[in-house]
Amino acid sequence: MLGEAPEFVGKLLKAAEGRTLPYQPPRPYRLRDAYRRRIWRDPGSMIARDILWVGLAMALAGLAYDEGAFMLLGAVIAGGALALGALATLLTNLRRVRLVRGAPAVKGTLGRPKRVILLHEFFRGARERTFAIPYAFEVDGRPRTGTLWICGCARDRLREGRREWITYDPARPRRSLPLRVANMIAPH
């Protein structure tokens, strides 16, 4: 049984790397694909996760000091953060699916990844931390920029200066996404 695990993982990684999306729409992509172990991170849900931890800490402190109001406040903050995080993830992934499925793509250049400091990631390794990758592209001769939050495990695969297809919303070019990231799967 143990001898089969590395072979299975190798097949999984080969299948994930071999899958590509065409740069011309329409592209086959579903909401389910946007959630499956993707390397991208959603800023709204990541900040909500930090607020969740603060709310849980407040609730536990209220419990430890027998302060009912403080415990209730912490529970309300934690519950609100959970709801906001789930909503933020859903809305962001719906937008990403719409972009990946049918938005036009142009070549763009990736910038240097920068670390995003988040409370819940202080004690994680570099591979599980969040990084922001800026990228630049042109639409109708006008320069545009965007930023994507990714997991640290993909930072080496998205190097500075690399040319990638960037899909963008023609009505709102600020909404954009490197197309390659839509298929990248986190190995952890």
Side-chain angles (χ1 to χ4, degrees):
M1 184 72 176
L2 289 176
E4 294 176 18
E7 182 179 321
F8 172 73
V9 171
K11 286 181 181 178
L12 182 65
L13 288 174
K14 282 183 183 177
E17 288 177 4
R19 184 175 174 217
T20 60
L21 291 169
Y23 68 92
Q24 291 293 336
R27 301 177 195 96
Y29 204 75
R30 304 175 310 226
L31 183 60
R32 184 173 159 179
D33 294 328
Y35 277 100
R36 282 196 169 164
R37 296 180 36 222
R38 296 294 172 228
I39 61 146
W40 54 36
R41 304 267 171 100
D42 171 38
S45 67
M46 297 304 282
I47 292 169
R49 191 179 296 180
D50 275 357
I51 295 170
L52 169 72
W53 284 109
V54 169
L56 288 175
M58 286 177 66
L60 289 173
L63 182 67
Y65 291 111
D66 197 26
E67 290 290 332
F70 201 66
M71 185 175 64
L72 180 62
L73 177 64
V76 167
I77 289 172
L82 266 174
L84 286 174
L87 183 63
T89 299
L90 177 65
L91 291 175
T92 299
N93 281 339
L94 283 171
R95 281 189 206 117
R96 287 175 177 165
V97 167
R98 194 174 320 124
L99 278 174
V100 171
R101 277 186 187 164
V106 295
K107 280 289 196 174
T109 306
L110 299 178
R112 182 172 175 250
K114 297 174 185 131
R115 172 95 185 335
V116 178
I117 306 295
L118 295 168
L119 179 66
H120 69 275
E121 292 182 348
F122 273 134
F123 301 108
R124 288 187 177 182
R127 291 182 52 82
E128 284 117 22
R129 291 182 180 155
T130 300
F131 289 85
I133 293 188
Y135 54 89
F137 60 102
E138 284 189 14
V139 176
D140 299 328
R142 298 181 70 194
R144 304 286 182 177
T145 60
T147 303
L148 177 69
W149 286 22
I150 63 163
C151 179
C153 63
R155 186 174 52 146
D156 295 337
R157 291 185 171 20
L158 298 167
R159 287 185 221 96
E160 180 180 5
R162 186 175 175 141
R163 302 276 296 162
E164 294 285 343
W165 286 104
I166 309 291
T167 183
Y168 67 95
D169 184 352
R172 290 183 170 168
R174 273 185 59 83
R175 289 188 181 168
S176 58
L177 178 71
L179 192 57
R180 179 174 177 227
V181 174
N183 279 334
M184 293 179 79
I185 295 175
H188 49 83

